[in-house]
Amino acid sequence: MRTGGQAVVSALERNGIDLVFCLPGESFLPVLDALHDSSIRLVTNRHEQGAANAAEAYGKLTGRPGVCLVTRGPGATQAAVGVHTARQDSTPMLVLVGDVPRAFRGREAWQEVDYERVFGGLAKAAWTLESADNVPEEAARAIETAISDRPGPVVLAMPEDVLQEETGAADAPPVVVESPRPADVDLARLRELLSAAERPLVVVGEGGWTQRTGEDVLAFCEANELPVACAFRCQDFVDNRSPSYVGTLGVAMDERMAGRLRDADLVLAIGGRLGEVPSRRYTLLETPRPRQTLVHVHPDPAELGFVYETDLPIVSGLPTFAEALRGLDPVEPRWSAWTAAARADYEQNLRHEPMEGPVDLGVIMAFLRERLPVDAIQTCGAGNFTVWAHRFAEFRQYGTQLGPRSGSIGYGLPAAVAAKLVQPDRVVVCFTGDGDFVMSSPELATAVQYELPIVVLLVNNGMYATIRMHQERVYPRRVISTDLRNPDFPALATAYGAHGERVERTEDFEAAFERALAAGTPSVLELPVDPERISPRVRLSELRAREV
């Protein structure tokens, strides 16, 4: 006999979960007790949002469900931001929530929440354990749901009396999900459509990617001289130094890159949802019927045709589809010049105009592009500072970029914590802004406690710059709510037990970065920048001038 809490932990162990993020709560003490004797490493975060974001990052890095363990009521609702990111980013995730005893339900007991109603439209699925005898089966179902078809978050509520209850139920077998394979007739039709194209574009996105998937897709693109673009914050899906790689379809994308999608006559979308960001608010690909011939490959049939009418929908796991692509005979490319021009545009976009002020982020990014190891992991949250990080970074292998495709602020620091725990031998660099960092700064204490020597590059312009940009564009000279009065960031880092420096000149960055790498502790390098400059292409004064 064992408790329901022990059965929960056993299910995680049997399915390869080696790391759990939590904020402890009395509602799931039996699970905590079971983890005491488990091989699973338990990491205590400082906020449920941090725990959920770290779990989401774990799911991205491993392909296994990232597990977030939180208490009922406010604990669960504060983790909701990570659930939303996991849903929008197609990341496998399991949120285990301690719940009120079964006998108390429906009375608005202390911190009671109806998880099926609250998370039903946010998560991929949400339900409540009803008996300790059902724990092995229900835990396996939750894990299978999280990783099958389009991966996503599952919320499983655990009444505290179910966790205390004893059961003799045996463990369920480890979850194995069979990936659908592309039909031969679909592959033949794809080759026909490709043979007739003159301006094709391959777009890769989320839905179950791996390093081998990227290699297979890139081999196919190179053999056929096809241009390949990555969806927003999927830049590590293929080697950016390939002659076939032409850029990213993201926020503030280069106009020439946007033109490639708009002017393509065939789009082969491998994974992804072709949502609002890659399509520039559904304008580059018109809904419901795109002007371009659209071939969409996705493991979840519900995604095919959901937004766009598709000329050739292919239900397939992305690794199996990529493997099949590699075996296709190349076609005679009529688009060599189209691909070469797109690649030249990408390379030109890596160059930047000198930035006003003593700190030039373009120069710093160029240094990092050459200095960081190929397997370094770069994380970021949300804000205009990410335009530098995305535009001027290059990625060589999968699993080296962690960013919320949902656009969630406060993600970068907890993601860096997760990345260093999963890959302790790799360099982990977090790009963050002043607003982004303050939202999750307590997770710096987590990094210190677990001795995780991450490097945080903190761009400080004293404002919520993304919102200010839109504010100045729509309501010039009517600023409200976007100015920030910030702490002394190096002093704050030092108070947490981390290394902190303020880098006030571009020429001082290289030495400061080397000191941060050598510190052996978490490090924060503050980069103060001109508040007037809010992106590589946009100045506030220019926005105001356009409205006058």
Side-chain angles (χ1 to χ4, degrees), residues 135-391:
V135 166
E137 176 185 351
E138 294 300 307
R141 179 162 74 96
I143 292 169
E144 181 177 12
T145 302
I147 63 177
S148 61
D149 298 327
R150 176 187 166 191
V154 174
V155 177
L156 189 60
M158 309 176 299
E160 60 181 85
D161 57 323
V162 170
L163 298 178
Q164 296 164 352
E165 192 174 71
E166 290 196 336
T167 178
D171 285 318
V175 173
V176 177
V177 175
E178 293 295 331
S179 180
R181 302 189 64 84
D184 291 341
V185 65
D186 289 335
L187 293 171
R189 179 58 178 156
L190 168 61
R191 198 172 184 280
E192 284 179 14
L193 293 172
L194 190 58
S195 298
E198 295 183 356
R199 298 181 306 280
L201 180 65
V202 177
V203 179
V204 298
E206 80 279 356
W209 208 261
T210 67
Q211 173 68 21
R212 177 62 186 271
T213 302
E215 292 170 356
D216 287 344
V217 168
L218 202 54
F220 168 77
C221 291
E222 289 176 348
N224 291 275
E225 298 184 35
L226 286 165
V228 56
C230 294
F232 184 46
R233 290 178 172 167
C234 297
Q235 288 167 260
D236 60 338
F237 279 31
V238 295
D239 187 342
N240 294 181
R241 298 196 179 183
S242 165
S244 282
Y245 179 72
V246 298
T248 181
L249 296 164
V251 172
M253 76 177 82
D254 179 61
E255 286 299 325
R256 293 163 295 184
M257 183 69 255
R260 296 294 167 185
L261 179 57
R262 182 187 60 245
D263 298 338
D265 59 0
L266 181 144
V267 174
L268 169 57
I270 305 174
R273 296 178 292 113
L274 294 175
E276 178 185 351
V277 173
S279 67
R280 189 177 276 178
R281 308 199 74 176
Y282 307 106
T283 60
L284 303 177
L285 281 171
E286 297 176 1
T287 59
R289 182 70 183 176
R291 177 177 44 78
Q292 304 90 333
T293 298
L294 178 59
V295 180
H296 193 181
V297 184
H298 203 282
D300 190 345
E303 291 298 323
L304 300 175
F306 179 68
V307 176
Y308 295 102
E309 294 180 18
T310 306
D311 295 277
L312 178 57
I314 301 177
V315 179
S316 176
L318 303 190
T320 53
F321 179 78
E323 182 182 7
L325 275 186
R326 195 164 191 161
L328 286 181
D329 291 333
V331 300
E332 184 66 30
R334 294 198 296 264
W335 47 78
S336 299
W338 161 263
T339 301
R343 175 65 189 180
D345 288 344
Y346 164 73
E347 291 175 347
Q348 186 179 24
N349 196 46
L350 284 178
R351 297 190 288 272
H352 77 288
E353 296 296 327
M355 182 176 169
E356 297 91 337
V359 175
D360 190 327
L361 294 178
V363 173
I364 288 172
M365 288 303 305
F367 163 74
L368 292 172
R369 196 162 60 237
E370 299 302 322
R371 172 63 181 86
L372 290 177
V374 169
D375 65 354
I377 300 173
Q378 301 178 45
T379 77
C380 68
N384 270 25
F385 68 90
T386 64
V387 177
W388 278 279
H390 297 335
R391 176 179 169 184

Side-chain angles (χ1 to χ4, degrees), residues 418-442:
K420 197 64 177 178
L421 287 164
V422 173
Q423 299 288 355
D425 296 329
R426 294 192 188 182
V427 173
V428 176
V429 176
C430 168
F431 295 95
T432 188
D434 45 336
D436 184 66
F437 178 80
V438 169
M439 183 171 285
S440 60
S441 59

Side-chain angles (χ1 to χ4, degrees), residues 358-361 363-369 371-372 429 431 455-458 501-516 525-527:
V359 175
D360 190 327
L361 294 178
V363 173
I364 288 172
M365 288 303 305
F367 163 74
L368 292 172
R369 196 162 60 237
R371 172 63 181 86
L372 290 177
V429 176
F431 295 95
V455 178
V456 178
L457 304 181
L458 196 166
E501 287 189 51
R502 181 178 171 93
V503 181
E504 297 186 325
R505 300 186 307 166
T506 306
E507 54 267 35
D508 296 334
F509 178 79
E510 182 175 345
F513 185 74
E514 297 301 336
R515 286 192 294 272
L525 299 183
E526 180 187 3
L527 306 174

